[in-house]
Amino acid sequence: DVMMKTLRIERDDRGVALLALNRPEVHNAFDETMIREIIEAFRDLGADNEVRVIIIAAEGKSFCAGADLNWMKRAAQYDEEKNREDGGELALMLNAIYACPKPVIACVQGNAYGGGVGVIAAADIAIGVADAHFSLSEVRLGIIPAVISPYVIEAIGARYAHRYFITAERFTAAEAYRIGLLHDIAPSIEVMDDMIAQLCTILLANGPKAIDAAKNLIQAVSQKSIDDELMEDTVERIAQIRSTPEAKEGIGAFLEKRKPNWIRN
């Protein structure tokens, strides 16, 4: 286990890493320290060949309340250049989650507001408990959800972003599931933990380099026109990955009716 100032990190012998936001006294709101620690943690876990899956979770009642109030008070005194620098750190944090080469599962055990919704949207898979609530609350404070917007709009689409970005209204887990922010809802934390354990088992059966390549593929293809350039890119991607040792091992294991070498048990 690793304890940072704002995070708790655990790993098991299968290669599953749990990264828990650990500021329950402020509903896991993030400040400069948490942002930097999340960037560092995701870069380290993403580069570690022993890590196969990352779960981002939280301590306490809330998943993440967005920006810490004291941080926001400080930011209110910043000039435009300092606010640009501050926003840049938040952008790096979200991209560290989104672009991580390992699959990232958001385990949403409580409410998420503002930037907390951005963290969920940046993950590959998100599962939440049925009594969690969500809000893109920025306009109530006279600001906008700018830095989280690419991830949230990719998750819920522009149409629902129009509603929730400008109303800042609170919505339920059922609504979060309906609009695409959550992939599944669990009736309790215990059931959610079981669902995530099953997902980890499924992910660990797949080629780790293929998962990374599949994530890159989605980012490269999403929202692009299907033209000669895009088709050529996809052909190049399949040609490259078929020639890798992992692909040869995976296809060989399938034909020989055995487990590939990346499955540890």
Side-chain angles (χ1 to χ4, degrees), residues 168-180:
E169 62 193 300
R170 204 164 171 252
F171 56 94
T172 64
E175 177 69 352
Y177 171 75
R178 188 180 76 85
I179 66 178

Side-chain angles (χ1 to χ4, degrees), residues 122-236:
D124 297 298
I125 302 169
I127 298 178
V129 290
D131 59 356
H133 284 83
F134 306 83
S135 175
L136 291 150
S137 51
E138 285 83 354
V139 292
R140 284 189 193 154
L141 306 174
I143 57 176
I144 56 174
V147 179
I148 69 171
S149 63
Y151 310 98
V152 176
I153 293 172
E154 184 173 297
I156 71 174
R159 186 62 176 160
Y160 286 113
H162 273 282
R163 174 170 178 169
Y164 291 113
F165 278 21
I166 67 175
T167 64
E169 62 193 300
R170 204 164 171 252
F171 56 94
T172 64
E175 177 69 352
Y177 171 75
R178 188 180 76 85
I179 66 178
L181 182 64
L182 295 178
H183 290 96
D184 271 311
I185 306 173
S188 67
I189 290 175
E190 293 75 20
V191 172
M192 181 174 65
D193 288 344
D194 289 342
M195 293 168 72
I196 289 174
Q198 291 174 17
L199 270 173
C200 288
T201 299
I202 291 167
L203 289 165
L204 291 168
N206 302 331
K209 289 184 172 57
I211 287 176
D212 181 19
K215 290 183 63 168
N216 283 327
L217 175 66
I218 295 164
Q219 293 164 22
V221 170
S222 179
Q223 305 299 316
K224 298 285 179 64
S225 299
I226 302 174
D227 55 17
D228 290 344
E229 183 180 354
L230 184 65
M231 289 189 291
E232 184 178 341
D233 179 51
T234 59
V235 169
E236 182 64 23

Side-chain angles (χ1 to χ4, degrees), residues 41-63:
F42 267 91
R43 285 177 176 169
D44 289 348
L45 294 171
D48 189 337
N49 290 333
E50 293 299 310
V51 174
R52 298 277 307 278
V53 179
I54 301 171
I55 300 167
I56 183 164
E59 301 289 351
K61 296 188 300 181
S62 301
F63 178 76

